[in-house]
Amino acid sequence: MMKKLVLIDCDPGHDDAIALLLAFARKEWDILSVTTVAGNQTLEKTLHNALAVLSYAEIKVPVAAGYAKPLLRKLITAPEIHGETGLDGPALPEPNFSPEPVHGVRQIIETIRKQNEKVTVITTGPLTNLAAALIGAPDIKEKIEKIVSMGGAAGVGNWTPAAEFNILVDPEAASFVFTSGIPLTMVGLDVTNQAIMEHDDIDWLKRQDRKIATFVAELLEFFIDQERVGVKGAPMHDPLAVAVAAVPEVVVCKKYPVKIEMGGNYTTGRTVVDFNRITGEEPNVDVALELNRDLFFKLLKGAILSYG
Ligand code: BDR
Ligand code: CA
């Protein structure tokens, strides 16, 4: 059977790192490329972290660095959550391979263009790279099966009262992607803040006495209890987007018109979901609203244990 073609754009980041591990455990996927963007930390650091995590897990895939800043705004990073390196906690060895000598946006465009089948794009960071690719090469739209994006919130935000971090960092890029006409699933805080790893889960991971399980436990020890954003435990934001791309039943979605606030005094970066269909606009986004927690953790823990 033909493998599902997948492309991942990310900003590792603790939960991005776990998302990569979950993605590369999917045997039915052919992950064509990983691209990195500035977000949780600077581009230099998110690129280094992606290479280091993939090297440590003995995964070989083309990796390319994309945008070092949002399309129009100054970069916001998240050292409060991910530390100065973007992946504080575990002591990872240096990467054992180099990035592709090509800009990440070019990598996205060329990788998608040369496929005979459509590609699923998973994003776990700000949408800068994907927006730039779609602006520069609108022809790739028809080659994208769907976008599964960790970002946004129909309810409260985590970086401002109104906005989730990935959307807040580059709202113009998010707006471009959300209104591109490509099928898009928004895996936002409404579900990711329910996908919580607890201290007990860290103990369980440590008891497995395996290299990757221990690495994930060390990531979680740093990432857990994010009082800055009102979460107890370690929310698996980015792994949930990967899980939704793999097994859509892991969440219940409903399609609504969704727009991105780009100009608010207090609401910049808000994903405005028209629940009551007041605007009369066509629904453009599958909004994930309910989580099947057991199914998600079965997938996640199974994936972690699939590494030697
Ligand atoms: C998102 O922001 C980042 O800090 C995480 O990696 C995740 O992608 C959650 O708001
Ligand atoms: Ca992320």
Side-chain angles (χ1 to χ4, degrees), residues 227-302:
E227 277 160 33
R228 156 78 174 77
V229 288
V231 179
K232 199 101 194 82
M236 293 294 93
H237 303 293
D238 296 339
L240 185 56
V242 171
V244 170
V247 182
E249 305 76 54
V250 87
V251 290
V252 177
C253 292
K254 221 168 156 203
K255 203 162 182 180
Y256 292 106
V258 180
K259 289 275 160 55
I260 311 292
E261 176 60 80
M262 291 177 280
N265 286 330
Y266 307 107
T267 54
T268 303
R270 174 134 196 91
T271 40
V272 181
V273 180
D274 182 7
F275 282 114
N276 291 329
R277 308 293 304 276
I278 291 168
T279 59
E281 289 180 6
E282 279 301 304
N284 57 328
V285 173
D286 277 307
V287 183
L289 292 169
E290 260 177 63
L291 171 71
N292 182 336
R293 202 181 175 280
D294 291 347
L295 179 56
F296 171 63
F297 280 107
K298 197 169 155 219
L299 288 172
L300 183 60
K301 290 185 171 178

Side-chain angles (χ1 to χ4, degrees), residues 96-169:
N96 61 17
F97 70 107
S98 304
E100 301 295 297
V102 58
H103 194 281
V105 171
R106 177 62 41 208
Q107 177 79 1
I108 293 173
I109 294 170
E110 296 307 334
T111 304
I112 292 175
R113 265 187 188 153
K114 68 178 180 226
Q115 307 308 318
N116 294 323
E117 302 292 325
K118 288 191 176 188
V119 178
T120 296
V121 179
I122 301 172
T123 68
T124 65
L127 286 157
T128 321
N129 287 342
L130 184 55
L134 292 170
I135 292 166
D139 59 287
I140 64 171
K141 267 188 203 174
E142 61 189 37
K143 300 282 291 287
I144 299 179
E145 177 76 34
K146 64 173 168 185
I147 299 164
V148 183
S149 183
M150 192 285 130
V156 291
N158 63 358
W159 217 253
T160 71
E164 181 279 331
F165 180 78
N166 288 338
I167 306 292
L168 179 72
V169 172

